[in-house]
Amino acid sequence: MLLPTSLVGSYTQPDWLIDKVKLAGRFPPRVRATELWRVAPEWREQAFDDATILAIRDQERAGLDIITDGEMRRESYSNRFATALDGVDLDNPGVALDRSGEPNPVPRVTGKIRRRHAVETRDVEFLRANTDRMIKITVPGPFTMAQQAQNDFYADEAEMAHDYAVAVNAEIKDLFAAGADIVQIDEPYMQARPAKAREFGLDALRTALDGVTGRTALHICFGYAALIHERPEGYNFLPELADTDLCDISIETAQANLDCSILDKLTGKTIILGVLDLSTHDIETPETVVARIRRALPHVAAERLVIAPDCGLKYLPREVAFGKMKAMADGAAIVRAELA
């Protein structure tokens, strides 16, 4: 399909599942934050399944073509996977500066990072069993996890990022085996810390992709708009991704009003184009979405575009998230008809 639509990853979680006041009043959790859940532990897995069904049906009703699980089971995009690995002291977390420069509790690495078991394969199997559309699942990137950890074991960050990458590589292969059509790696810290990303982040990414044969995507962004309000005028780190085995690259253009000419440097990649501004609860009109899609067309062929929000919809009220998602699908349909 021309101009297929998709979420970046997360959808808004139901109020009966998670305390959104607590969620919005802190930085995204890097360690476990089970106090955010409103459902007792013995009922939580059932609640996660029910919330995932709601997220799937909302995406289908809105007209999306590529469906995610909405990340209903996660307190943040990264902490569920990052805290499931060996080598992390969960009882005594460390501290690291978040991308905003503020300290945040993070996993404290006290041994060699290893994946002891698959983390998200049941998520994929459940998603696959409940929709007949293409499906995408997300996993945190090795560079970002290395930046969201306190290193008390490795000689340097590059070595730690490499072992995170080995764990991610094994997870990606299992996710494709479980039925994923697309696996997306989330690497927002490549934008936040471009010098380190160039120094060793790209090598870690290549290790994470080594031997992977399915369709892979990478999301790189300026952070959740609900928490980080200022946007730079352009990406500090993006053209460097052209020389990787990634199939798709997800970027945000709406809130930052990004100069889409930078897409000229990503020839050969499919662009997951962010067209929803998540800094506001105002719901875009389909015509606004159309204008944002058209801005990219001089720089990337329509055949290489997927239409998406700037970032995850996690922090929005459900009615706002659904309205924005529906406007996105309707706007993409207008441009699709024009091009046809």
Side-chain angles (χ1 to χ4, degrees):
M1 175 183 288
L2 197 66
L3 302 180
T5 50
S6 174
L7 294 184
V8 167
S10 69
Y11 187 57
T12 183
Q13 292 156 302
D15 292 326
W16 51 258
L17 179 64
I18 201 165
D19 188 328
K20 289 187 178 174
V21 174
K22 288 183 180 178
L23 179 69
R26 54 165 297 162
F27 291 110
R30 310 306 184 196
V31 294
R32 295 313 306 264
T34 55
E35 69 277 5
L36 295 175
W37 301 116
R38 294 186 185 275
V39 179
E42 62 268 28
W43 308 117
R44 209 167 282 162
E45 197 63 29
Q46 186 180 58
F48 291 153
D49 287 352
D50 290 347
T52 301
I53 291 290
L54 288 175
I56 292 169
R57 296 294 171 257
D58 272 9
Q59 291 171 77
E60 291 176 337
R61 286 193 303 120
L64 268 58
D65 306 297
I66 303 167
I67 307 298
T68 79
D69 68 343
E71 301 180 3
M72 294 291 116
R73 308 172 196 277
R74 308 187 197 186
E75 296 145 11
S76 79
Y77 71 94
S78 62
N79 75 328
R80 182 161 172 259
F81 185 82
T83 57
L85 303 174
D86 282 335
V88 176
D89 184 346
L90 298 181
D91 297 322
N92 301 287
V95 176
L97 295 182
D98 225 315
R99 64 183 299 164
S100 62
E102 296 296 323
N104 199 10
V106 297
R108 190 166 67 90
V109 177
T110 57
K112 186 174 177 64
I113 293 294
R114 291 189 180 93
R115 191 188 74 140
R116 70 173 72 104
H117 55 71
V119 180
E120 300 177 17
T121 51
R122 183 182 178 273
D123 306 3
V124 172
E125 292 164 352
F126 188 85
L127 177 57
R128 178 72 287 161
N130 285 285
T131 186
D132 58 2
R133 304 188 190 185
M134 286 186 68
I135 61 171
K136 177 174 78 171
I137 195 76
T138 66
V139 64
F143 177 73
T144 290
M145 283 192 287
Q147 297 303 294
Q148 293 176 353
Q150 177 176 309
N151 176 23
D152 287 352
F153 176 77
Y154 288 95
D156 56 50
E157 287 183 300
E159 184 184 359
M160 180 169 65
H162 171 82
D163 281 358
Y164 272 119
V166 171
V168 171
N169 179 264
E171 183 77 4
I172 291 172
K173 290 173 180 175
D174 281 347
L175 294 174
F176 279 122
D181 295 307
I182 305 168
V183 176
Q184 176 181 296
I185 303 169
D186 290 332
E187 282 284 19
Y189 274 68
M190 283 188 162
Q191 156 62 27
R193 297 174 183 171
K196 288 184 177 182
R198 294 183 188 99
E199 181 185 351
F200 59 86
L202 276 172
D203 286 341
L205 177 61
R206 291 188 176 101
T207 298
L209 295 171
D210 185 43
V212 173
T213 56
R215 180 176 171 183
T216 54
L218 184 136
H219 176 63
I220 183 169
C221 71
F222 303 126
Y224 284 117
L227 303 176
I228 299 177
H229 307 292
E230 304 251 336
R231 278 337 195 220
E233 294 181 357
Y235 277 88
N236 296 320
F237 188 92
L238 195 60
E240 292 86 347
L241 298 172
D243 187 26
T244 66
D245 291 334
L246 291 164
C247 305
D248 302 4
I249 298 174
S250 170
I251 64 169
E252 58 174 284
T253 73
Q255 183 186 352
N257 197 28
L258 187 75
D259 179 357
C260 289
S261 64
I262 194 171
L263 302 181
D264 293 331
K265 300 180 180 180
L266 294 174
T267 303
K269 303 298 184 188
T270 292
I271 303 299
I272 304 174
L273 189 76
V275 297
L276 295 179
D277 181 350
L278 307 184
S279 68
T280 173
H281 288 185
D282 294 339
I283 295 172
E284 285 88 347
T285 65
E287 290 71 25
T288 297
V289 172
V290 167
R292 290 171 179 167
I293 296 172
R294 285 176 178 158
R295 288 196 305 122
L297 289 175
H299 308 287
V300 58
E303 291 79 9
R304 293 196 293 112
L305 280 179
V306 174
I307 307 306
D310 270 3
C311 195
L313 303 185
K314 185 180 183 76
Y315 288 92
L316 295 178
R318 186 179 180 190
E319 66 275 9
V320 173
F322 182 82
K324 283 177 172 284
M325 190 166 61
K326 180 71 165 60
M328 180 181 77
D330 290 347
I334 292 170
V335 181
R336 189 182 302 129
E338 290 174 351
L339 295 171

